[in-house]
Amino acid sequence: MSTIQRGRPWPLGSSLTSGGVNFSLAAPAANRVELLLFADGDAPQPERIIDLGPEHRSGDYWHVEVEGLRAGACYGYRVFGPLEPGGHGFRPAKVVLDPCARAISGWGVYRRAAATGAPPNTDCCLKAVVCERDAFDFNAHPRPRHPWNRTVIYELHVGGFTRRSDSGVAPERRGTLRGVIDKLPYLKDLGVTAIELLPIQAFDPQDAPIGRDNIWGYSPLSWFAPHHGYIDGNDPLQARQQVRELVAACHDAGLEVLLDVVYNHTTEGNHHGPTLSWRGVGDRLYYHQNAKGDYLDVSGCGNSIAANRPLARQLILESMRCWAIELGIDGFRFDLGIALSRGEGLKPLDHPPLFEAIEADPLLSDLKLVSEPWDCGGLYRLSDFPAERIGAWNGRFRDDVRSFWKGDENSTWKIGQRMRGSPDLNGGRPLTLGRSVNFITAHDGFTLMDLVSFNGKHNLANGEDNRDGENHNSSWNHGVEGPSSDRAVTALRRRQQRNLLTSLLLSRGVPMLLMGDEVGRSQGGNNNTWCQDSPLSWMIWGDDHCDRDLQTYVRRLLRLRQQMEDLINPSQPIAESPLPRSGDPDQLWRQWHGVELGKPDWASWSHCLAASLQRGTRGAVLWIGFNSYFKAMHFDLPEPASPWHRLIDTALPAGDDLPERPESWSPSGVPLEARSLVVMVAREMLSPLS
């Protein structure tokens, strides 16, 4: 039998030693802990139970070293202690996962329901797996480190990205991390610089209505282990290596990898939920609760993590270091991240301890950090997000750009603000680059195609009588609900897709595209496909499904953004008027117009706007006109610094809407068809878009 040593409290979790494995668990309120060692992940009973008494405790930590163990060993814990107010807390009948587990096994026997109630769940529990903690090889695969003004994010779901049979991916690699590797040439050719992966931290597919699986993963089971469903093969020890393979391939292709992480709640839900990990180790420690033991929920998922507390904060920081240093991830997007700024009693904090710790950590200092600035408790902090280095999803950009192109009143002034970098949300000064991630669509909501094809959501397939999903979408079907064979309807929808995408990619800020929007992917009007592992939520690849004309448009638009970054997304905001006494003949400044030069119409009824970028006193080098009115309008053009060329006209047929070689334009004005967008560029700024 293996020799037992006292062990040490650091590092947390299981770690290989020269003679075996050290185990360390933070459980300050426990009075006894058992370490259970299993022969394999599906074993119904442990091979050995090691009782950890007071001699194995240092402060808040329980620890032991077991000699002779190696990587691949499977284990779990039983944690003993008093019941907490409300009748929940320690459940020693339940075998719980190490919150720091870097791999998980036992999926073949796991039953979520057995983790509730009083009976033991030993025969069907999940087990943690001892893993290496090697660092990612940054020398061989350095981070791309794209500056914010050159960053374009592509949000994708690992499982759904390559699941279809026509994806060009081998069957065993479809829906896996390795499947994404096979499609990196597609993403590189499109022109994005970063991929943002929906959660790949381990989650529980059984956390869903009966007959459905949770596929999005916003229901974390572990903050350290990769999700088993995205692995090619069944070896849990391969999970971390396959994450590294994907990150290395992305780095080699010049793509950054951002992870969508859920630190604001867990899969354990409310007091009716299962005891799987955190709850069984320190229920009152990890979760916000009132004096009666009721869970305080601002996540909408039954519980909220108390990230203000030192041990919870430490676990999140350790998780981030694991993914960033050991697995090579380049950044994080915090789901409902503002919830992590709440203190005791859910009080919002201006100096949240977690965010201060993240920003002070040198190991995390070169990462891209983004957050949702809202939670389900009504807290919304965009420009005043309480962290210097963490940017935010700009929901106002989404709402206001949608509203303008839908033809709503009171929308013209707002789209002007969004194009400038949302100065109205930041005391009159545009948000700094990296503080605003702009988007039109995201995973939770309509796809771009559905945004222009449906007036309302159609979520009956989710089994909740269409109650789930966002009700306020600012969508418009353009006359027919859903798919249509009416040529006028389909032509207008295609124009609107281009209007929305162009508004996104020619605005100041960091743009994010949703998987498949570039090829017209539809979800049949379902705006909440969290439990739909089917073609409804999968990426489309075949020519019979994909809008190749739109794909070409987006590819050229991204090339244009890259070529004109100094005009479209400069490091410093563009002046709104010529600087007085400036001796620089090339000084760039913006002038606003309506259909007449220098006369923008900001009235509530206005649906037209134009802006030009002026090069000192030489003339304009770029002009953008917006017409969301239901009639064509004629716009005057400013004098250019060199002859105008029409670069974009979304009303023109595919291929001509954004041609490789723009046509010269000599008239002093330009017509804009109903609901269309036009971009003119001075000859001196032209470069081929092929």
Side-chain angles (χ1 to χ4, degrees):
M1 183 174 289
S2 303
T3 302
I4 303 301
Q5 303 291 343
R6 180 175 182 269
R8 59 186 189 276
W10 188 260
L12 292 175
S14 58
S15 55
L16 296 170
T17 67
S18 59
V21 176
N22 187 80
F23 298 88
S24 177
L25 178 73
N31 52 38
R32 179 182 158 211
V33 173
E34 290 180 349
L35 172 66
L36 284 65
L37 301 177
F38 294 85
D40 56 63
D42 291 344
Q45 297 296 326
E47 284 187 314
R48 187 177 183 187
I49 299 175
I50 300 172
D51 189 23
L52 305 186
E55 70 276 13
H56 289 281
R57 182 169 187 172
S58 299
D60 293 337
Y61 302 95
W62 300 79
H63 47 83
V64 64
E65 182 178 358
V66 183
E67 295 185 353
L69 291 183
R70 292 291 180 265
C74 296
Y75 69 100
Y77 288 105
R78 291 194 187 114
V79 184
F80 298 77
L83 281 180
E84 302 289 349
H88 52 88
F90 293 107
R91 300 287 184 182
K94 307 301 182 184
V95 178
V96 296
L97 278 171
D98 181 351
C100 290
R102 281 164 164 74
I104 298 173
S105 187
W107 292 101
V109 299
Y110 170 64
R111 288 190 294 113
R112 180 181 177 87
T116 62
N121 70 332
T122 311
D123 63 334
C124 55
C125 67
L126 294 171
K127 292 87 174 173
V129 181
V130 177
C131 294
E132 45 71 28
R133 297 193 179 198
D134 299 339
F136 184 84
D137 189 351
F138 288 108
N139 290 325
H141 312 283
R143 299 191 192 278
R145 289 192 174 91
H146 296 297
W148 279 118
N149 69 321
R150 294 183 65 86
T151 298
V152 178
I153 300 170
Y154 187 94
E155 187 194 40
L156 68 85
H157 181 270
V158 168
F161 192 54
T162 62
R163 190 78 74 187
R164 284 182 181 269
S165 59
D166 60 357
S167 65
V169 174
E172 67 275 11
R173 293 166 70 97
R174 292 175 194 159
T176 70
L177 296 162
R178 285 176 169 166
V180 177
I181 294 175
D182 295 341
K183 304 306 294 187
L184 292 183
Y186 170 86
L187 295 170
K188 185 68 176 175
D189 177 68
L190 185 63
V192 299
T193 68
I195 56 174
E196 181 176 304
L197 306 179
L198 267 65
I200 65 170
Q201 293 175 342
F203 59 90
D204 185 0
Q206 296 181 26
D207 189 0
I210 295 175
R212 292 168 179 80
D213 289 336
N214 185 325
I215 68 159
W216 274 1
Y218 291 93
S219 184
L221 178 66
S222 168
W223 290 334
F224 292 79
H227 183 57
H228 72 289
Y230 297 152
I231 305 306
D232 177 10
N234 298 311
D235 183 358
L237 291 180
Q238 281 296 305
R240 285 163 54 83
Q241 185 55 34
Q242 290 184 26
V243 173
R244 292 187 182 107
E245 289 176 16
L246 171 59
V247 174
C250 286
H251 287 185
D252 293 347
L255 296 171
E256 294 175 304
V257 183
L258 313 182
L259 286 194
D260 199 335
V261 288
V262 186
Y263 293 131
N264 67 85
H265 74 278
T266 77
T267 189
E268 292 181 311
N270 59 22
H271 63 284
H272 296 298
T275 297
L276 296 169
S277 183
W278 299 270
R279 173 175 287 143
V281 172
D283 185 62
R284 298 282 288 184
L285 163 65
Y286 289 112
Y287 297 120
H288 283 293
Q289 299 172 33
N290 62 19
K292 297 179 181 179
D294 300 321
Y295 286 93
L296 305 180
D297 178 17
V298 293
S299 71
C301 298
N303 62 60
S304 295
I305 290 291
N308 58 301
R309 297 173 187 162
L311 291 181
R313 182 167 69 249
Q314 176 178 254
L315 194 64
I316 293 172
L317 288 167
E318 277 294 293
S319 166
M320 294 177 66
R321 295 180 193 121
C322 167
W323 288 93
I325 305 305
E326 297 175 22
L327 303 181
I329 295 301
D330 302 298
F332 299 95
R333 178 265 192 188
F334 301 110
D335 174 70
L336 300 183
I338 197 63
L340 301 172
S341 74
R342 291 181 181 268
E344 295 304 316
L346 299 180
K347 179 182 178 181
L349 304 176
D350 287 331
H351 303 284
L354 174 62
F355 294 155
E356 289 188 334
I358 290 172
E359 295 188 321
D361 192 328
L363 295 177
L364 307 177
S365 61
D366 62 346
L367 303 180
K368 283 186 164 72
L369 303 175
V370 177
S371 177
E372 280 184 314
W374 53 78
D375 64 20
C376 294
L379 188 59
Y380 195 148
R381 300 185 68 174
L382 182 67
S383 63
D384 63 339
F385 193 89
E388 289 295 324
R389 286 187 48 238
I390 300 178
W393 271 22
N394 192 337
R396 289 286 300 276
F397 185 97
R398 171 200 59 205
D399 298 342
D400 293 339
V401 174
R402 287 184 181 190
S403 179
F404 175 81
W405 287 113
K406 184 168 169 272
D408 291 345
E409 292 191 348
N410 295 298
S411 61
T412 300
W413 183 81
K414 293 177 182 178
I415 196 174
Q417 295 295 302
R418 304 302 151 249
M419 296 292 291
R420 289 178 55 194
S422 299
D424 60 319
L425 307 180
N426 193 41
R429 183 169 178 78
L431 292 165
T432 57
L433 292 177
R435 290 291 285 184
S436 175
V437 172
N438 301 334
F439 63 105
I440 302 294
T441 55
H443 65 275
D444 51 349
F446 281 138
T447 67
L448 183 65
M449 172 60 86
D450 288 351
L451 184 68
V452 299
S453 302
F454 294 90
N455 283 346
K457 64 184 183 182
H458 295 263
N459 295 358
L460 287 174
N462 298 350
E464 299 182 52
D465 295 324
N466 210 40
R467 294 189 303 270
D468 64 306
E470 179 59 54
N471 292 313
H472 304 96
N473 297 286
S474 291
S475 61
W476 179 30
N477 66 18
H478 297 87
V480 177
E481 187 73 353
S484 174
S485 59
D486 187 312
R487 292 185 179 180
V489 171
T490 57
L492 185 52
R493 288 175 177 176
R494 289 172 179 170
R495 187 185 304 175
Q496 290 282 54
Q497 288 174 280
R498 287 158 174 77
N499 292 336
L500 290 159
L501 287 166
T502 308
S503 300
L504 170 66
L505 292 173
L506 298 188
S507 292
R508 177 176 173 80
V510 179
M512 184 184 76
L513 297 169
L514 172 63
M515 176 183 86
D517 276 356
E518 75 279 7
V519 288
R521 184 176 71 92
S522 171
Q523 295 178 166
N526 192 319
N527 72 351
N528 190 33
T529 59
W530 71 281
C531 60
Q532 297 294 331
D533 189 11
S534 70
L536 190 68
S537 65
W538 296 345
M539 177 62 175
I540 55 176
W541 294 104
D543 289 340
D544 54 339
H545 293 106
C546 293
D547 184 343
R548 297 302 183 194
D549 291 333
L550 181 61
Q551 183 181 353
T552 297
Y553 183 91
V554 174
R555 186 189 302 115
R556 291 178 179 174
L557 190 57
L558 286 168
R559 301 290 187 278
L560 172 65
R561 179 182 174 87
Q562 183 182 52
Q563 292 170 6
M564 296 190 175
E565 65 181 56
D566 291 339
L567 297 181
I568 295 169
N569 206 32
S571 298
Q572 297 299 319
I574 293 173
E576 293 297 311
S577 60
L579 295 177
R581 296 182 297 279
S582 173
D584 182 3
D586 290 327
Q587 184 240 331
L588 200 64
W589 57 282
R590 181 187 290 107
Q591 184 176 20
W592 293 97
H593 315 281
V595 294
E596 297 182 40
L597 294 177
K599 297 180 179 179
D601 187 353
W602 305 114
S604 62
W605 55 79
S606 173
H607 300 286
C608 298
L609 183 65
S612 62
L613 295 184
Q614 307 289 132
R615 183 72 77 183
T617 58
R618 294 175 45 223
V621 292
L622 185 72
W623 180 91
I624 306 176
F626 306 83
N627 179 22
S628 65
Y629 197 46
F630 65 88
K631 294 181 180 180
M633 303 294 289
H634 186 276
F635 285 71
D636 294 335
L637 290 173
E639 283 295 321
S642 56
W644 283 127
H645 285 66
R646 184 168 61 180
L647 187 59
I648 297 175
D649 188 340
T650 60
L652 294 179
D656 295 331
D657 46 13
L658 179 47
E660 288 187 41
R661 299 188 179 280
E663 66 170 335
S664 60
W665 189 269
S666 57
S668 60
V670 60
L672 267 69
E673 293 298 324
R675 301 187 174 96
S676 71
L677 180 152
V678 169
V679 177
M680 310 292 289
V681 63
R683 182 176 60 194
E684 63 196 63
M685 306 302 301
L686 287 177
S687 297
L689 294 175
S690 57

